[in-house]
């Protein structure tokens, strides 16, 4: 069965009927049939398909990439793509047998207008999909006979080969119709990397990449970080910096032109990234590399021999980046220090006045004209950079104030407060009044509805939106608006992200360190109390209905994923493993879902007079922990921290 990642490949019965109709009425020309043994040491890479193609791979595990989508194949895989698609096949074992069928489709004059209308709905000749056939051995036989007949070259044999093509199409659509096939699942992390490598110079919306695979932005982030060891944003910045470094070394473009060409919002953003990663400005980087690449020089005492290509013997490469000068080894650090000293000396000599610490002077007038326009001095550039920063979000790049003073927060108030920022305006937290764990920190904050008209009256310089994005476009016209897809982010990802938004990176690290320490202390306390192996059930219980929480619920995520407490087997298989937020369980079967301890979420009364309820061992032994709305409605780190204390203290008290 296909999962959500393959949702974009599912064909409805109406679509299948339309595609079959188009195939029936179109003129199909079989162009070629080929076979290739693709070896792991010689993979097929970026083959541009000259026509529409079917590719059948078998005999081993492989990674099949078509355009920017990478599929994982186990033993058999049928892939289809249109003309101009880029195909790559990388076997994971020794080799993979690969059949390729090239064909061309044309519309007959008689049905042309009708078919063109259908092609606007769905075009089967350019569709991209991959799946494991229901009868892979039968398809293997068809492809072998198709290739044999085609290679014989006789008209009758090639006619038979074409008949197998139609049998193949019929078999594929029958598989689609059954709905029981397994689609080749795209590898979102690999495909996202390919996409970023190709489009890094353009504005990137990570959610759009995630939408290609039918998954959330948070899922894509987690998959990418697991595979690449860094976040999507970190990889994108790295890719853009690499491009900027290349242009700084090898072109004479201005800093502004290089910033734009590398995908940065402006030269200020490029300047900030260079200061962060290289501890120098782009201009300094350019000057240092220009000197390090220079192979000729002037020596007043002697001249080196000229060997047609360059002056010989002045500087020779030694090991990894070290250099020898006049026969003595110098480390990279010493070379860099000497280079910087030389630059300062040349600058002072060229100006005829003592060097000014407030800026740098370029000794090359031509270069000065091109490169110093966006950053006359480091001090001025720093002041310009301090005004705004660019944050990449699922909604695109957003410029935010470097030190926001008037922040309005929709939902994750506790995260913002934990980072040392008191919001000007808060929404939704007001519903819990003084019961919210951060209530004392927001006594001066203005409680508003998150409607554009109300927000506008506060004249904010930053809006943090997390509950829903229906007002995002209107709010973003009032002030820079950051949308936090909190349900798709781990606590660590979310705090780091909000820390970047508020320019509170160090505070974010400290908050997360303290939070991680609290969780470890809690787990140790539970272990010492002999509670490591007990089972926990949480939910909202009443006479009418019982909603059992899974690991996606705020409390469930904390208990099951954070504290590593165990769920009863029925809760695990029916709710957690199926990725449900809640499970609606009737009172008659409730006992099968109840663990050693119960956590009653919300402010509703439990069904104390119900016979089934009273028969539960957890109820009989009074092992029920009540978690009110103030501790269960939010996922912010302050509320989660208070929730840990509440649950652990209650469990320890009951164990004693």
């Amino acid at each position: 069965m296909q999962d959500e990642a393959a949702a974009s490949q599912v064909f409805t019965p109406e679509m299948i009927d339309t595609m079959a109709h188009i195939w029936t009425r179109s003129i199909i020309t079989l162009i070629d049939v080929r076979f290739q043994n693709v070896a792991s040491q010689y993979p097929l890479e970026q083959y541009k398909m000259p026509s529409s193609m079917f590719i059948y791979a078998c005999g081993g595990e492989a990674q099949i990439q078509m355009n920017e989508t990478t599929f994982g194949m186990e033993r058999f895989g049928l892939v289809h793509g249109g003309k101009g698609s880029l195909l790559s096949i990388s076997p994971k074992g020794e080799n993979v047998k690969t059949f390729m069928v090239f064909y061309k489709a044309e519309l007959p004059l008689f049905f042309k207008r009708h078919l063109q209308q259908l092609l606007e709905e769905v075009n089967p000749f350019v569709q991209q999909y991959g799946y494991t056939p229901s009868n892979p051995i039968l398809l293997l036989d068809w492809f072998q006979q198709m290739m044999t007949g085609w290679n014989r070259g006789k008209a009758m044999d090639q006619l038979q080969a074409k008949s197998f093509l139609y049998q193949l199409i019929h078999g594929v659509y029958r598989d689609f119709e059954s709905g029981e096939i397994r689609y080749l699942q795209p590898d979102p992390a690999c495909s996202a990397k390919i996409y970023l490598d190709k489009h890094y110079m353009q504005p990137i919306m990570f959610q759009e990449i995630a939408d290609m695979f039918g998954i959330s932005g948070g899922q894509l982030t987690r998959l990418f970080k697991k595979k690449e060891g860094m976040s999507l944003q970190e990889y994108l910045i790295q890719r853009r910096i690499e491009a900027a470094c290349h242009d700084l070394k090898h072109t004479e473009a201005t800093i502004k032109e290089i910033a734009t060409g590398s995908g940065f919002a402006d030269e200020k953003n490029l300047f900030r990234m260079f200061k962060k990663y290289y501890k120098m400005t782009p201009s300094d980087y350019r000057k240092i590399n220009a000197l390090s690449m220079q192979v000729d020089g002037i020596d007043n005492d002697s001249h080196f021999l000229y060997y047609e290509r360059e002056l010989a013997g002045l500087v020779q490469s030694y090991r990894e980046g070290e250099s020898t000068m006049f026969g003595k080894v110098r480390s990279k650090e010493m070379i860099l220090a000497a280079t910087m000293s030389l630059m300062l000396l040349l600058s002072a000599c060229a100006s005829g006045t003592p060097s000014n610490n407030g800026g740098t002077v370029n000794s090359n007038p031509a270069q000065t004209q091109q490169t110093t326009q966006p950053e006359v001095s480091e001090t001025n550039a720093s002041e310009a950079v301090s005004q705004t920063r660019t944050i990449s979000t699922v909604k695109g790049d957003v410029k935010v104030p470097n030190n926001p003073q008037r922040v309005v927060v929709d939902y994750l108030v506790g995260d913002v407060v934990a980072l040392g920022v008191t919001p000007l305006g808060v929404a939704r937290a007001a519903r819990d009044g003084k019961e919210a764990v951060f209530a004392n920190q927001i006594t001066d904050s203005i409680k508003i509805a998150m409607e554009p008209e109300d927000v506008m009256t506060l004249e904010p310089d930053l809006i943090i939106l997390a509950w829903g994005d229906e007002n995002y476009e209107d709010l973003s016209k009032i002030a820079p608006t950051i949308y936090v897809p909190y349900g798709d982010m781990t606590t660590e990802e979310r705090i780091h992200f909000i820390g970047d938004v508020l320019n509170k990176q160090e505070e974010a690290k400290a908050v997360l360190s303290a939070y991680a320490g609290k969780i470890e202390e809690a787990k140790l306390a539970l272990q010492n109390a002999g509670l490591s192996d007990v089972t926990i059930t949480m939910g909202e219980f009443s006479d009418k209905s019982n909603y059992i929480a899974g690991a996606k619920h705020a409390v469930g995520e904390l208990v099951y994923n954070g504290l590593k407490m165990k769920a009863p087997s029925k809760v695990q298989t029916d709710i957690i493993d199926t990725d449900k937020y809640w499970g609606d369980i009737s009172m008659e079967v409730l006992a099968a879902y109840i663990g050693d301890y119960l956590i009653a979420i919300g402010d509703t009364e439990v069904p104390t007079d119900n016979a089934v309820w009273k028969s539960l061992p957890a109820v009989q032994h009074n092992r029920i922990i009540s978690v009110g709305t103030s501790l269960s409605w939010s996922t912010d780190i302050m509320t989660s921290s208070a929730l840990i204390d509440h649950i652990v203290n209650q469990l320890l008290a009951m164990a004693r």
Side-chain angles (χ1 to χ4, degrees), residues 14 18 28 41 102 201 260 307 324 350 389 402-403 428 491 504 515 524 528 551 562:
E14 293 76 18
T18 300
I28 306 299
Q41 61 268 39
F102 303 74
M201 71 294 295
T260 303
Y307 292 149
T324 60
R389 297 171 297 114
N402 199 47
N403 287 303
R428 302 194 186 278
T491 299
K504 298 284 186 179
Y515 184 71
L524 182 60
N528 292 338

Side-chain angles (χ1 to χ4, degrees), residues 298-311:
I298 299 174
D299 187 342
N300 293 330
D301 297 323
S302 61
H303 296 280
F304 293 90
L305 297 176
Y306 183 78
Y307 292 149
E308 294 185 354
R309 296 182 182 178
E310 60 189 13
L311 286 168

Side-chain angles (χ1 to χ4, degrees), residues 539-595:
E540 294 181 1
F541 306 100
S542 68
D543 286 313
K544 295 182 179 179
S545 59
N546 298 284
Y547 295 96
I548 306 298
K552 295 189 73 173
H553 188 280
V555 182
E557 198 278 336
L558 181 65
V559 172
Y560 295 138
N561 298 336
L563 298 177
K564 302 299 181 184
M565 302 294 285
K566 295 181 180 179
S569 58
K570 287 288 285 181
V571 174
Q572 183 69 44
T573 56
D574 294 359
I575 301 172
I576 297 176
D577 290 347
T578 56
D579 209 27
K580 291 180 180 177
Y581 187 86
W582 291 107
D584 188 358
I585 308 300
S586 65
M587 188 63 74
E588 290 76 15
V589 297
L590 180 63
Y593 293 84
I594 298 300

Side-chain angles (χ1 to χ4, degrees), residues 129-147:
Y129 55 80
Y131 80 103
T132 301
S134 60
N135 193 337
I137 303 304
L138 176 62
L139 256 67
L140 176 60
D141 181 59
W142 285 352
F143 275 98
Q144 288 174 333
Q145 292 193 59
M146 200 184 309
M147 188 189 68

